[in-house]
Amino acid sequence: TGLTNVDVRRLCWGVAAGMAARHPMTGVGAGCFGVAAEAELPDGLRQVSASRGHIYHFAYNDFLQIGAESGLVALGVFVALLFVVFSGAREGLAWGNRAGRPVGAAAAAGVAAALAALLTQALVDFPLHLPTHLTLFWVDLGLLAALTVSGEARGGNEQRGRTTRVAAAVVAVLVALALGATAIRGVVA
């Protein structure tokens, strides 16, 4: 059909963006992108899918896939979680440098870089849908949050550390609720 890898990804991105726009609150259901996409594939991608006997289970962009499967609300909560952790990391790095604790700052910088690399890959692939990558993501995210909160507490900014922990807990609860709602929708649908 003459479609390149980039063409296929762009078409999948368009399908995922359309799903997210049509189902902004709950998405099409966790793990249901492939089934829902079959009905919406553009002609070129439908021909590729039929000729290869292939179903496109992934949007080749984890952010778009979260929006398509779980809704824009869940995507917003996910991005907010990343924002909270990376904002805390930025402040934790500054604190570590000011406090003369280069090892803690270097550890936080390394974990932040690993997360940034994984999230960059998530823009053009689906690493957060692979168990090993997903495990690495959550471990790194938790480690970065822990390095940041413990650094703030040691630095005498207990209120800021408490605020970060509360914000992270609220976001975690919202993520759990959003994922639970989409899982239920996926089972019911």
Side-chain angles (χ1 to χ4, degrees):
T1 61
L3 290 177
T4 66
N5 189 331
V6 173
D7 294 333
V8 168
R9 288 171 194 262
R10 286 183 179 159
L11 290 169
C12 286
W13 296 342
V15 169
M19 283 182 197
R22 283 187 301 284
H23 307 280
M25 295 304 292
T26 60
V28 297
C32 293
F33 176 81
V35 174
E38 282 298 307
E40 300 185 28
L41 292 178
D43 287 337
L45 196 54
R46 189 181 314 274
Q47 292 169 353
V48 171
S49 179
S51 69
R52 295 180 184 169
H54 179 75
I55 295 175
Y56 289 93
H57 294 283
F58 303 105
Y60 294 100
N61 179 313
D62 274 330
F63 297 97
L64 286 173
Q65 187 148 351
I66 290 168
E69 288 186 346
S70 302
L72 296 176
V73 173
L75 177 59
V77 169
F78 180 71
V79 170
L81 174 66
L82 295 176
F83 178 78
V84 166
V85 172
F86 275 100
S87 293
R90 183 180 56 80
E91 292 175 17
L93 287 168
W95 173 85
N97 289 328
R98 282 192 312 273
R101 298 187 183 243
V103 173
V111 174
L115 276 170
L118 191 61
L119 293 169
T120 300
Q121 181 188 5
L123 292 171
V124 295
D125 207 355
F126 47 91
L128 300 181
H129 286 82
L130 302 173
T132 53
H133 291 72
L134 184 61
T135 301
L136 178 65
F137 169 78
W138 286 113
V139 166
D140 282 353
L141 197 68
L143 182 58
L144 186 58
L147 285 168
T148 300
V149 171
S150 65
E152 289 168 347
R154 283 193 310 262
N157 192 348
E158 188 60 41
Q159 180 59 38
R160 176 68 181 148
R162 188 176 306 114
T163 302
T164 302
R165 288 190 299 272
V166 169
V170 167
V171 171
V173 168
L174 291 173
V175 167
L177 290 172
L179 292 176
T182 56
I184 290 169
R185 179 187 162 107
V187 170
V188 173

